[in-house]
Amino acid sequence: MRLHRLTVTAFGPFRGTEHVDFAALSAAGLFLLHGPTGAGKTSLLDAVCFALYGSVPGARQSPAVSLRSDHADPRTPTEVVLDLTLAGRRLEITRRPEQERPKVRGTGTTRDRARTWLREQDPATGRWRPLSHSHQEAAEELGGLLGMSRDQFCQVVLLPQGDFARFLRAGAEDRAKLLGRLFDTRRFAAAEAHLAERRAGAEREVRAGDEALLAVAHRVRQAAGPWHPPDGPAGEGAGGPGPGEPGLADAVLAAAAQARSAAREHRDTAAAALAAAEAAHTAAQRDHAGAAERARLQQRHHDAARRAAAVEAERPAREAARARLERARAAEAVAPALRLHAAARAEHAAALEAESHSRAALPGEPADAPAGHLAARERAARERLGALTAARRAAAVE
């Protein structure tokens, strides 16, 4: 932040308008404000603070204390104009506090509200352009550029009058108290307390972690069995560091490394034994498979022998059945002739019966005559019958 120009009107002890050219004063890099008590040195700093934050430091901001000069013309408004460069930007801040002024018409006074104007100079053209007419917007813009509150600004930039001289004359304890009041070191005390609390918490966490680490080391030793190292970390009678002491982790890691080495040897031995057992198991499986195959073949042989004995015992019955089968096959060849013979016999019997029935109907001698004689007589009868039929037809024609 670099101040260029300050203009105050009817502010504090200044009844009129006063201009302070900081650019000319700070040309050599350093300047001093001096004068008798009541000359207005503090009022200039108050004006700077009022322009930046809209209020003045400490008790001078009390409602009972007015920023307006008691000697100013009632028609002259109280005003502070500050030209400065802030964060590389050329700004001009104009502020008027809430104040009484004479009425334009009639008698008496009226109260004007506080007003704020903020504008910025264009570096290219040198022209001023307005940024805000709002207290809140101007405060947000300036607060972001300043990076500190009014109290911080007053503690760090504006030392209260008389406090610095008192600091030079005070003892060590008084200086510490004064510095604490000037720079509000309560935050640092709070930070120190917070860090101490965090340190205590970290110590508790480290101790808890060490105890958990020791518990893990005990479990490692128990799991290691006969291969655990002869000397372990503290807590096992070895005289090593305890929980929260330096070197505990290294002692536990060393013991764990020995246990790991012994466990690795045990693992390798167990792996070799496992490989031998698996090889023996594989051989036993092959032997079992061979024995099972032999047992299966022996069972098949036993079953075949038993079935062969049963077949041999049934040989006579089978031979008898085979003989019957051959006879049946032989009989099957003459079966059609036998069936024809039976049919012929039946037809012959039927013919004899028909002949007997027919002969019974013949009178006298023909009934006992041979078949040939009867056939000749039939032919003769047929011939006579044919002649008679022809004669009758001829007669009928005539």
Side-chain angles (χ1 to χ4, degrees):
M1 180 178 67
R2 182 180 180 85
L3 304 180
H4 298 291
R5 193 173 293 104
L6 174 67
T7 301
V8 294
T9 302
F11 184 86
F14 308 107
R15 63 185 301 273
T17 300
E18 302 293 339
H19 301 280
V20 180
D21 190 353
F22 289 106
L25 292 175
S26 61
L30 184 67
F31 63 90
L32 172 69
L33 296 179
H34 68 93
T37 301
K41 303 184 296 299
T42 303
S43 297
L44 292 179
L45 300 179
D46 288 347
V48 172
C49 184
F50 178 73
L52 293 175
Y53 295 98
S55 60
V56 296
R60 295 189 295 280
Q61 183 59 30
S62 172
V65 179
S66 174
L67 299 179
R68 179 174 175 80
S69 174
D70 296 333
H71 309 287
D73 189 316
R75 291 182 296 275
T76 302
T78 299
E79 182 179 81
V80 175
V81 181
L82 178 62
D83 179 6
L84 77 165
T85 297
L86 191 60
R89 298 170 60 183
R90 184 73 176 267
L91 301 173
E92 183 186 78
I93 309 167
T94 302
R95 288 189 188 269
R96 288 184 181 180
E98 186 175 317
Q99 54 190 303
E100 295 283 342
R101 65 168 177 83
K103 292 183 177 180
V104 177
R105 294 190 179 91
T107 60
T109 61
T110 184
R111 179 168 291 275
D112 283 344
R113 59 184 179 86
R115 304 183 67 181
T116 300
W117 294 271
L118 177 63
R119 62 179 187 167
E120 181 178 7
Q121 187 181 49
D122 189 345
T125 62
R127 295 181 179 179
W128 293 91
R129 59 184 181 89
L131 292 181
S132 174
H133 292 169
S134 167
H135 297 300
Q136 183 176 0
E137 292 179 358
E140 291 178 356
E141 183 76 21
L142 294 172
L145 297 175
L146 288 167
M148 64 182 75
S149 65
R150 187 203 68 176
D151 293 338
Q152 293 171 336
F153 180 82
C154 294
Q155 291 168 357
V156 176
V157 179
L158 301 180
L159 289 178
Q161 184 177 5
D163 283 351
F164 188 71
R166 189 180 303 112
F167 171 75
L168 295 178
R169 294 191 297 267
E173 184 177 355
D174 293 335
R175 287 183 183 183
K177 293 181 180 180
L178 184 58
L179 287 174
R181 187 169 63 84
L182 287 177
F183 297 103
D184 192 13
T185 57
R186 290 174 296 176
R187 71 187 70 182
F188 303 107
E192 182 180 0
H194 176 67
L195 292 176
E197 182 180 354
R198 290 190 60 182
R199 181 187 61 190
E203 289 178 353
R204 290 193 297 269
E205 292 178 1
V206 169
R207 187 173 184 84
D210 287 346
E211 292 176 353
L213 187 61
L214 279 177
V216 172
H218 289 309
R219 290 198 295 270
V220 168
R221 289 174 61 86
Q222 292 173 0
W227 292 278
H228 65 74
D231 295 326
E236 299 180 1
E245 298 179 2
L248 176 63
D250 294 336
V252 171
L253 290 176
Q258 297 179 22
R260 182 174 64 249
S261 178
R264 185 179 295 113
E265 294 177 1
H266 176 58
R267 182 201 62 191
D268 295 340
T269 303
L274 176 62
E278 288 180 347
H281 179 261
T282 303
Q285 283 184 329
R286 288 197 300 268
D287 295 342
H288 176 268
E293 181 64 17
R294 286 192 298 272
R296 186 182 67 81
L297 294 176
Q298 290 174 356
Q299 183 64 36
R300 287 186 62 186
H301 178 267
H302 174 72
D303 294 341
R306 181 173 52 80
R307 289 196 299 272
V311 170
E312 187 64 25
E314 295 176 356
R315 183 186 294 276
R318 189 170 59 255
E319 293 296 336
R322 183 180 291 110
R324 287 195 303 273
L325 180 59
E326 290 178 356
R327 288 195 300 271
R329 287 175 179 173
E332 186 178 6
V334 298
L338 292 176
R339 286 194 295 272
L340 290 176
H341 178 265
R345 289 184 63 182
E347 290 179 359
H348 181 263
L352 290 177
E353 184 179 359
E355 181 183 4
S356 175
H357 181 71
S358 296
R359 285 180 180 277
L362 293 177
E365 177 187 0
D368 296 328
H373 178 70
L374 290 176
R377 291 186 67 180
E378 180 186 8
R379 285 193 298 273
R382 288 182 180 278
E383 290 177 357
R384 289 181 63 191
L385 180 59
L388 290 175
T389 300
R392 187 180 61 183
R393 290 178 179 172
V397 173
E398 293 180 356

